[in-house]
Amino acid sequence: MLAVCATTVACNEPRFLIPAPTLRGIAIPLPPPSIADEVLINIDVEGNVPLGFDVPGTQAFLHEKRTARGYFVGIEGMQFTVYDVLLDVNDNCLEAWFVDGVDGEESTTVNYKAVLFEGAEACAEPTCSAMDEQGACVCLEKWTTGC
């Protein structure tokens, strides 16, 4: 991270104004009979970058804090998919950001938490995976202060 320091003792950490990518959904490639019975699962995370950042070389980054695993992929148009993200269903925190392919500027970071839900009404949200055989799904919740 970049810090700007004056010749005295004060430092100022700059904030970038580029909005972060928006995660728009989760897919579970081969769900077990019940997601609720599993502790660790692999998911695919889909997202979009803001308008105007669909330049060649732009990359989306995803970091799962609890498993301490990081992932990155190139952007195709305005969309991206991060495959095979290892996730603890009960304790997770996903950080998402992107790096602009033109000047390498980094966006702000957004935090998401993947939460287990049950029932057709809860699982109908666009940020949720498909329901498993027992009616459970995993959905993304955006956290404004971290998770």
Side-chain angles (χ1 to χ4, degrees):
M1 179 51 89
L2 177 68
V4 178
C5 298
T7 54
T8 58
V9 190
C11 289
N12 182 19
E13 189 175 292
R15 298 277 181 210
F16 300 110
L17 300 177
I18 298 174
T22 302
L23 299 186
R24 66 175 196 274
I26 291 179
I28 300 174
L30 293 173
S34 177
I35 301 167
D37 293 339
E38 300 293 321
V39 176
L40 293 176
I41 61 171
N42 286 313
I43 62 172
D44 296 341
V45 179
E46 301 168 346
N48 295 331
V49 294
L51 290 174
F53 293 98
D54 58 339
V55 297
T58 298
Q59 293 182 317
F61 291 82
L62 187 69
H63 180 251
E64 205 297 299
K65 290 183 177 181
R66 305 300 189 247
T67 61
R69 293 178 186 242
Y71 307 86
F72 67 94
V73 295
I75 303 297
E76 293 181 21
M78 300 298 289
Q79 302 174 354
F80 62 90
T81 302
V82 182
Y83 294 98
D84 295 323
V85 176
L86 183 64
L87 181 78
D88 182 333
V89 177
N90 301 312
D91 185 22
N92 63 77
C93 182
L94 298 166
E95 291 181 312
W97 71 96
F98 73 92
V99 175
D100 184 297
V102 173
D103 57 12
E105 193 168 355
E106 193 172 305
S107 73
T108 55
T109 301
V110 177
N111 292 296
Y112 293 88
K113 188 165 180 69
V115 181
L116 184 67
F117 285 117
E118 292 185 16
E121 187 175 326
C123 295
E125 293 294 319
T127 62
C128 297
S129 69
M131 287 192 307
D132 66 12
E133 294 174 5
Q134 305 300 319
C137 64
V138 178
C139 303
L140 288 172
E141 288 186 350
K142 187 174 181 179
W143 287 57
T144 56
T145 59
C147 42

